[in-house]
Amino acid sequence: MTDRDRAAGPRRRLRRLQLRLTLAYTLTTLVGVSVLSWLVIHTDGRSWRNAEFDEMLRHAAVSTSLIYYTDAGVQLDGLRDDESTRGRHQVFVLLSRTRIGTPAKGVADGAGKDTPGSTAAGRATASTRPTGAAGPRPVGAAGPAGPGGLDRVFTSGSRSVPVSDERIAALARTAMDEDVTVREEVPAGDRTAYAVARPFYHDETQETTGAVVVIGDPGLRMAEHTRLTYAVLTGSGLLTLLAAFTGHLLSGRSLRPAWQALEAQERLLADAAHELRTPVAIMRSSMDVAGTDPRNLPTHLPRIRRATDRLTDVVENVLTRGRLQDSAASFSPVPLRLDQLVEDACGELPPGRLTLTLRLDESVVDADPALTRVAVRNLLDNALRHGRTPGDPHGGAEIDVSVRGHTVSVADRGPGVAAEELPELTERFRSRGGGSGIGLSLVREIAAAHGGTLTARPRPGGGAAFLLALGPAGQARHARAGTS
């Protein structure tokens, strides 16, 4: 399994976690929107239903108020011209045959004359035709004898809602027997209709003599409710899609620290693997060669020691990079004597053919001591490795180190470096030869952590000078100004 495959595992888990968070956010929104949509649709439907029933109750109340009795019987003439019987609702008037002895006479006197000279007896005969007589009757016409001893004596309009006569008579009988206004949803073929039944009374005896039944078609008034339902469902779907998109963005933002930590861990592992490979290989090869001829062991010991030193530096650099990646927890700037720290780092240089020039001004900066020491040591190590004086047969190095204010300068007599080449040299694993390339990149990161910079410029007479600035100039404080 390659490093890429091993890194893909945590990445896949983070992607799956992001998808789970997005799904959870979307489902939560969907549940909330669904409940809210149901409440809106249900409340609006109930509101339309109540409004329809209220209008039907008003029509029933008006119709019963227009029915009155005279000596001739029940009078229905007021129903023909009233708008309550001309609307979209069907109004039926049912009269009890058992409670009023001569319903036919009353109907004939009150239903209005169909033709001049028609007699009450003739209209009574018409009002008692068998149930199921063909054709709708005009407004004010008497209907057939209904179930339960009820005659339908008035019908407004045509039967647009197919509610059975038995059902209409049952509603009227319930309203008369219980002396209450009945409101129900009744079957009408393959749909449902609204029905209201209200009893009316004899003017003198106050006896319940019949009932007015109003039938309404909910489909005629529920079109607006249907439009609202479609609008709510469409809006809910769009809102859910928006929630899914927003949840994906928010989950990505919430997982950004995890992605950054994963990338930092991958960089740290890559640095460790890349940096440890060279010194370990040197130590292994030296031990293999020394193993073939133990007498040559003293010859290989210095090489092994240098590889060990290099391994120590690698481990320190890798650990330092790990600290920088978690700088919020480990970055601890304190007032620091920069000139003394640089002087101590120069004293740790290995003995050899080295010409070292120090020009150190006393200065105090706010910096992390451990990180600053690593940065200075890496600059010195870079100067030793790449700053050999050209033409020197012994491979000696000439290094000039200076401290002025908040800036440390390390100059050598090597091949030099142009300012435009510095960004490439400070990338990880980029080197002019002989090194791993992590040193200068780590120095640049340490400088950035302090709010400073790492720059390079040609040195007069040949070579390069690297300048490490630890923060803006205002952060440096000269110690000599505060001493006597």
Side-chain angles (χ1 to χ4, degrees), residues 64 67 69 74 92-97 99-100 149-151 153 171-177 179-180 197-202 207-213:
T64 56
I67 300 173
Y69 281 86
V74 63
F92 301 91
V93 178
L94 287 86
L95 193 63
S96 173
R97 287 176 292 142
R99 300 188 182 186
I100 298 296
L150 296 175
D151 291 329
V153 296
L171 290 169
R173 176 58 60 189
T174 301
M176 294 171 60
D177 291 344
D179 196 18
V180 294
R198 181 185 177 94
F200 60 87
Y201 312 94
H202 194 282
E207 181 182 4
T208 304
T209 58
V212 174
V213 179

Side-chain angles (χ1 to χ4, degrees), residues 32 51 79 83 101 131 163 170 175 179-180 189 244 265 316 342 407 411 437 449 476 481:
L79 296 176
E83 63 179 13
T131 302
V163 180
D179 196 18
V180 294
Q265 183 182 23
E316 184 177 359
V342 172
T407 302

Side-chain angles (χ1 to χ4, degrees), residues 162-208:
V163 180
S164 64
D165 293 335
E166 291 78 7
R167 189 66 182 174
I168 295 175
L171 290 169
R173 176 58 60 189
T174 301
M176 294 171 60
D177 291 344
E178 299 181 5
D179 196 18
V180 294
T181 300
V182 179
R183 48 183 288 178
E184 290 184 2
E185 295 183 11
V186 296
D190 57 350
R191 51 182 173 162
T192 301
Y194 295 157
V196 170
R198 181 185 177 94
F200 60 87
Y201 312 94
H202 194 282
D203 294 337
E204 296 181 358
T205 64
Q206 297 301 315
E207 181 182 4
T208 304

